[in-house]
Amino acid sequence: MSNIVYVLNGPNLNLLGLREPEIYGTQTLDDIAGLLEDRAQELGLEIDMRQSNHEGHLIDWMHEAQGTGAKAVLLNAGAYTHTSVALHDAIKSIRTPVIEVHLSNPHTREAFRHTSYVGMAAKGSIAGFGANSYLLALEAAARL
């Protein structure tokens, strides 16, 4: 097993900092990557952070994480969280632990966000702490 943690981000997360800052905050995905890089170094880990608006890319990257022996995958699947059986199946098809991450708390939002196909398959879920959700997930990954 390597010390690499994949951090995969789904649709519209490339717009963080601009998109509904009252929900998602003002930090950009690059800002979050910087926070993760700093903490990963302290934990003896490496980060491979990626974003795509395409579901298939996220699936391919999870398969890649498995193939490279990654320590874990942190997955913020965005809206795919609530719709994608394909992501659910991809998580279940790999041995690499997947930790679901959300900036906001989906359970305090619209009813359609209360179901998480990702969460049903993930090792665990961390949500509602803004950018700190990623840091908390990285801490959890370090302890796996």
Side-chain angles (χ1 to χ4, degrees):
M1 181 184 315
S2 76
N3 65 341
I4 296 175
V5 175
Y6 280 56
V7 182
L8 306 181
N9 297 279
N12 299 309
L13 291 166
N14 56 308
L15 298 177
L16 285 180
L18 301 173
R19 176 185 178 215
E20 300 177 278
E22 67 281 0
I23 295 173
Y24 301 108
T26 58
Q27 291 176 298
T28 66
L29 204 54
D30 286 341
D31 293 336
I32 293 170
L35 294 172
L36 285 172
E37 289 286 348
D38 291 345
R39 186 63 185 129
Q41 187 174 26
E42 293 168 3
L43 294 168
L45 300 173
E46 293 179 41
I47 296 298
D48 186 339
M49 185 137 167
R50 304 175 187 190
Q51 187 278 328
S52 179
N53 293 319
H54 304 282
E55 182 180 37
H57 290 162
L58 298 171
I59 292 166
D60 289 343
W61 293 337
M62 280 193 282
H63 294 176
E64 179 184 318
Q66 167 73 27
T68 62
K71 182 169 185 61
V73 172
L74 311 185
L75 175 61
N76 183 344
Y80 289 140
T81 299
H82 320 291
T83 63
S84 180
V85 173
L87 284 175
H88 170 93
D89 289 350
I91 294 166
K92 292 192 68 105
S93 73
I94 64 173
R95 291 181 309 277
T96 306
V98 175
I99 301 171
E100 178 184 32
V101 178
H102 295 288
L103 295 162
S104 69
N105 182 349
H107 298 288
T108 64
R109 300 184 58 202
E110 303 92 341
F112 69 86
R113 296 186 194 276
H114 297 179
T115 299
S116 171
Y117 292 107
V118 168
M120 290 176 197
K123 176 84 171 165
S125 301
I126 299 176
F129 298 101
N132 285 327
S133 292
Y134 285 88
L135 291 170
L136 292 166
L138 184 62
E139 296 278 345
R143 287 166 174 73
L144 291 176

